[in-house]
Structure formats: C-alpha cells, structure tokens
Amino acid sequence: MKGLKIFVGVVGFCITLPIWFYLVYTMLCAIHPDRLVWFLFWIYVPVNLLVAILSAIVTANDKK
C-alpha cells in the first residue's frame, strides 16, 4: 500500500502538475496580463511544487 501511495505522489508531481502549469502559462500568454499577474504566477509555481512534494511525503509516511 505504501508503494501505491508513493506512485500516486510521483505521478501527480511529474505528470499532473506540469500539465496544469503549462495550461495556466498558455492562458496567461493569451490574455497578456500585467506584471503583477506574472509575478503571482512565478510565486505560485514553486510554492505549489513544494506543497506537492510535502504532501506526497506526508501521505507516504502516514502510519494508517
């Protein structure tokens, strides 16, 4: 069961997040937002990656 949790975390991190970031980036390029929106996007990406990593670690190490 622990292996399945790790697999789901890796798939979510390596497949789902990059697709989501690409879609958001494409939408932002299409609407030509101001600098504040780009700044928020570039803050959102690493924070979301960090949260995804920590979430996968916590889920994999869950004692239940």
Side-chain angles (χ1 to χ4, degrees):
M1 192 67 169
K2 185 175 181 178
L4 181 61
K5 290 180 182 180
I6 293 172
F7 176 74
V8 169
V10 169
V11 168
F13 183 74
C14 294
I15 296 175
T16 307
L17 280 180
I19 291 171
W20 173 248
F21 293 147
Y22 177 75
L23 290 173
V24 172
Y25 177 80
T26 304
M27 288 186 282
L28 288 175
C29 286
I31 64 171
H32 305 292
D34 60 353
R35 288 182 291 177
L36 176 62
V37 176
W38 280 113
F39 172 75
L40 293 175
F41 173 73
W42 289 115
I43 294 298
Y44 171 75
V45 169
V47 168
N48 201 339
L49 290 173
L50 179 66
V51 168
I53 291 169
L54 293 176
S55 175
I57 291 171
V58 168
T59 303
N61 289 330
D62 195 15
K63 297 295 180 189
K64 292 182 181 181

